[in-house]
C-alpha cells in the first residue's frame, strides 16, 4: 500500500470516527468514557496522518 493510499484510508477512518463522536455526544445516554476513547482514537489517527504526510513530502 502506498503512503498516499494509507493517508486516504486513515482519513476515511478519521472522518467516520468524527461522525460517530458527533452521534454519541448528542445521544442523551452517551457514555463520556466511550466518547473520550473515541476522541483519543481520532487524535491517534490524526497523528499518524500527519506523520505520513511529512514522510510523503
Amino acid at each position: 500500500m502506498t503512503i498516499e493510499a494509507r493517508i486516504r484510508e486513515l482519513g476515511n477512518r478519521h472522518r467516520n470516527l468524527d461522525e460517530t463522536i458527533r452521534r454519541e455526544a448528542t445521544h442523551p445516554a452517551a457514555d463520556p468514557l466511550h466518547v473520550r476513547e473515541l476522541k483519543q482514537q481520532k487524535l491517534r489517527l490524526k497523528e499518524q496522518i500527519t506523520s505520513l504526510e511529512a514522510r510523503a513530502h
Side-chain angles (χ1 to χ4, degrees):
M1 177 181 291
T2 67
I3 290 177
E4 291 81 13
R6 182 73 175 144
I7 290 170
R8 281 193 305 275
E9 177 195 344
L10 293 174
N12 288 336
R13 288 173 53 193
H14 186 269
R15 281 186 294 282
N16 290 340
L17 267 176
D18 195 39
E19 182 58 35
T20 302
I21 291 167
R22 210 174 295 123
R23 278 194 316 267
E24 286 289 322
T26 59
H27 194 272
D31 178 4
L33 292 177
H34 182 65
V35 172
R36 184 175 65 161
E37 181 181 301
L38 292 171
K39 287 181 178 181
Q40 288 173 343
Q41 288 177 22
K42 184 180 162 192
L43 179 59
R44 283 192 296 275
L45 286 173
K46 182 62 176 172
E47 290 170 347
Q48 289 177 8
I49 292 167
T50 302
S51 175
L52 288 172
E53 286 174 339
R55 287 194 324 192
H57 298 318

